[in-house]
């Protein structure tokens, strides 16, 4: 048993050391301007850290330097969903989207309100809501049994309602299947095939909401323009 535990510990340390070496090598390539080599190492690191926002952020940086603004925006967006408070991630995502004529903050919404809404990640909002639900149950039990902490109980009710609404709004966004135009341009067609006429062309970096899929095509809505149609899967990158 002791030998097995030792093997597990040594294996974990070796994996951690290998991951650190990989990231250091990738950073070195990036500083030397070898963005393609750095990109390959960062993408291989995703197998070990699939939920690391900073790996996605660095992948986005590589694509941005290589001129692929759409793929950069897709990876910045993945990083943003995991670490929405990070100022660098937010800044670079804003730049990448702006390069394609998109906005991170919807028109008419104050930026401070957008930052507040996305101050916590979806998982953090979910955890906070369950914590408040526990507080509500505890405060409610004390109030019902001992008639104490009435104000705490009603305050917890109000806060729980607000947080539940926040969670529902974030859940709705989480269920939205987003994609970014990754090629130089994506043609919006009236049906899933090149035999259908193109009604519009959308440049690289634009955000799309995927509604349906058929063979090699996505039915999408162009979020900034409200256009609806079909695009080839090869021209977009799902987030």
């Amino acid at each position: 048993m002791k030998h097995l535990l030792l093997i597990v510990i040594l294996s974990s340390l070796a994996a951690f050391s290998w991951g650190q070496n990989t990231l250091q090598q990738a950073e070195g390539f990036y500083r030397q301007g070898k963005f393609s080599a750095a990109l390959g190492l960062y993408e291989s690191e995703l197998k070990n850290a699939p939920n690391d926002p900073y790996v996605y952020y660095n992948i986005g940086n590589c694509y941005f330097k290589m001129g692929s603004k759409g793929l950069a925006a897709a990876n910045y967006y993945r990083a943003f969903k995991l670490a929405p408070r990070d100022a660098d991630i937010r800044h670079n995502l804003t730049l990448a989207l702006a390069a394609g004529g998109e906005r991170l903050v919807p028109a008419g919404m104050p930026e401070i309100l957008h930052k507040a809404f996305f101050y916590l990640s979806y998982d953090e909002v979910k955890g906070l809501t369950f914590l408040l639900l526990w507080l509500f149950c505890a405060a409610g039990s004390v109030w019902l049994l001992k008639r104490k902490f009435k104000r705490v109980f009603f305050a917890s009710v109000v806060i729980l309602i607000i947080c539940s609404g926040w969670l529902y709004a974030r859940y709705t966004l989480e269920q939205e299947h987003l994609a970014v135009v990754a090629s130089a341009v994506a043609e919006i067609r009236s049906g899933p095939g090149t035999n259908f006429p193109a009604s519009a062309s959308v440049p690289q970096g634009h955000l799309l909401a995927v509604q349906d899929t058929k063979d090699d095509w996505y039915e999408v809505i162009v979020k900034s323009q409200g256009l609806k149609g079909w695009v080839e899967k090869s021209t977009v990158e799902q987030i």
Side-chain angles (χ1 to χ4, degrees):
M1 188 66 181
K2 291 182 179 179
H3 291 296
L4 179 60
L5 181 60
L6 181 61
I7 291 173
V8 171
I9 293 174
L10 290 176
S11 298
S12 299
L13 289 173
F16 176 77
S17 177
W18 183 86
Q20 291 298 105
N21 290 335
T22 299
L23 292 177
Q24 289 173 1
Q25 290 175 10
E27 185 178 348
F29 281 137
Y30 185 86
R31 289 177 176 176
Q32 295 169 31
K34 300 176 181 179
F35 305 120
S36 180
L39 175 63
L41 290 176
Y42 282 128
E43 289 185 330
S44 69
E45 183 60 20
L46 279 179
K47 298 175 183 178
N48 301 317
N51 294 314
D52 188 333
Y54 301 104
V55 175
Y56 285 116
Y57 172 73
N58 286 318
I59 289 174
N61 286 339
C62 291
Y63 276 122
F64 196 89
K65 290 291 188 179
M66 294 164 66
S68 299
K69 303 298 193 298
L71 291 174
N75 283 282
Y76 287 145
Y77 211 109
R78 290 165 181 149
F80 177 73
K81 291 176 70 174
L82 293 166
R85 291 187 298 280
D86 189 284
D88 290 333
I89 291 174
R90 185 182 184 91
H91 176 73
N92 284 18
L93 173 58
T94 300
L95 285 180
L97 291 176
E102 283 282 3
R103 296 169 55 98
L104 175 61
V105 181
M109 174 183 282
E111 186 171 354
I112 191 170
L113 181 60
H114 189 270
K115 285 183 177 180
F117 184 72
F118 287 100
Y119 184 75
L120 301 180
S121 69
Y122 172 69
D123 286 339
E124 289 171 337
V125 176
K126 185 164 59 174
L128 177 61
T129 304
F130 282 112
L131 178 63
L132 290 171
L133 179 60
W134 178 87
L135 177 62
F136 162 76
C137 293
S141 299
V142 172
W143 180 61
L144 289 173
L145 294 173
K146 298 186 178 181
R147 296 298 173 178
K148 292 182 179 180
F149 304 119
K150 180 179 179 181
R151 290 183 179 180
V152 174
F153 170 66
F154 283 104
S156 68
V157 171
V158 174
I159 296 173
L160 179 60
I161 291 173
I162 294 172
C163 199
S164 296
W166 187 13
L167 177 62
Y168 178 75
R170 292 294 297 274
Y171 173 79
T172 302
L173 290 177
E174 284 291 313
Q175 298 308 301
E176 191 174 41
H177 300 292
L178 293 179
V180 177
V181 176
S183 61
V185 66
E187 292 186 327
I188 308 297
R189 296 183 177 273
S190 59
T194 54
N195 55 313
F196 291 92
S199 58
S201 294
V202 183
Q204 182 177 184
H206 265 59
L207 282 173
L208 311 173
V210 178
Q211 303 292 299
D212 198 4
T213 180
K214 184 176 181 181
D215 299 328
D216 295 327
W217 295 79
Y218 287 132
E219 184 181 28
V220 299
I221 295 176
V222 184
K223 291 182 70 65
S224 59
Q225 302 175 29
L227 297 174
K228 187 173 183 178
W230 293 80
V231 297
E232 288 188 83
K233 289 181 179 179
S234 60
T235 62
V236 303
E237 173 80 2
Q238 276 203 293
I239 297 173

